[in-house]
Amino acid sequence: MIPNLGEFHRDLHGWFRRTGRDLPWRRTRDPYAVLVSEFMLQQTTVEAVVPYFERWMQAFPTVAALANADEPDVLHLWQGLGYYSRARNLLRTAREIVAKYDGTVPDHVPLLRQLPGVGPYTAAAVAAFAYDQCLPVLDANIIRVIARLENFRKPIASAHARAFLESSARALLPKSDGGLHASALMELGAGICRSGNPTCLLCPVRSYCKAEAPEKIPLKPPRKPILLERDLRVFARRDDKICLVPAEGPRWRGLWVLPRASREGRKIFQLTYAVTRYRITLEVFPARAKAEWTTFAPDALPPMPAPHRRALTALLIHAT
């Protein structure tokens, strides 16, 4: 418990007003824009999201504009951001908001939680950043800040830890400016109270922090081992067009990929990429076109996952 909460808020919020990053979704209270940013920021860095967010808001500036969009167009704009289920859920959410709430993003957390792809954190974030509600917003950065402020030295993955951290975060809430408060805590975790060795000497609230060994807090469960996979594909052309097939499985549903290879041969391209705890090596071999494969002109390609598009781009450059 912080003994003088007013001074804590003054120091933290004042620091954020002076030094907080100028991010496009921080310039607006439009609930739809906030919702889009939160979907994009799930498992993706701020730096990667900024250009996607700006392009998205130009293409789909309102909930209604997104609700009326076709899924291939949505996936095409999301292309390269990864975790495509987020794009599909965002489209479903927009359509549900139009159908149920007359195009207005709900301001009530239980209603937000009912939208596709909206979990506890995203619902709280939209309520705080769009509607300025004062409630705990617990992302990885804020969890780390709270754990260090309270010198919480138990594993954070348990239900007990979650309850403690939420209670501690609630005890820090101001009476107003919920969006400012959540943004300031998040910025503190991202820039100063970083994972590993924090920059404690620059922390605006270091006098309130109880952490005895902050570099060891929070205590996380051991990482799961990395699993290695090979993904064998082919590069084939017919009449100067590229052969592609619809992606199998839920990960890339709605996207197009290079066809699977039936056997190995002379490898013409390789790259390695990560998906959660999988490290996947994409290997490409030349092949003859098959009648069942769909062809696309190189300048009119459909939405593709980033690894396949990078491979195809490199192969086309090499072929010319």
Side-chain angles (χ1 to χ4, degrees), residues 24 56 72 77 91 96 105 113 140 158 187 260 265 317:
W56 185 280
L77 201 58
L91 176 58
E96 196 163 310
V105 177
R113 286 290 311 277
S158 68
E187 188 80 358
R260 286 198 180 277
I317 291 173

Side-chain angles (χ1 to χ4, degrees), residues 85-99:
S85 61
R86 296 178 296 171
R88 291 189 288 267
N89 280 333
L90 185 52
L91 176 58
R92 291 172 56 209
T93 285
R95 290 172 175 171
E96 196 163 310
I97 289 171
V98 168

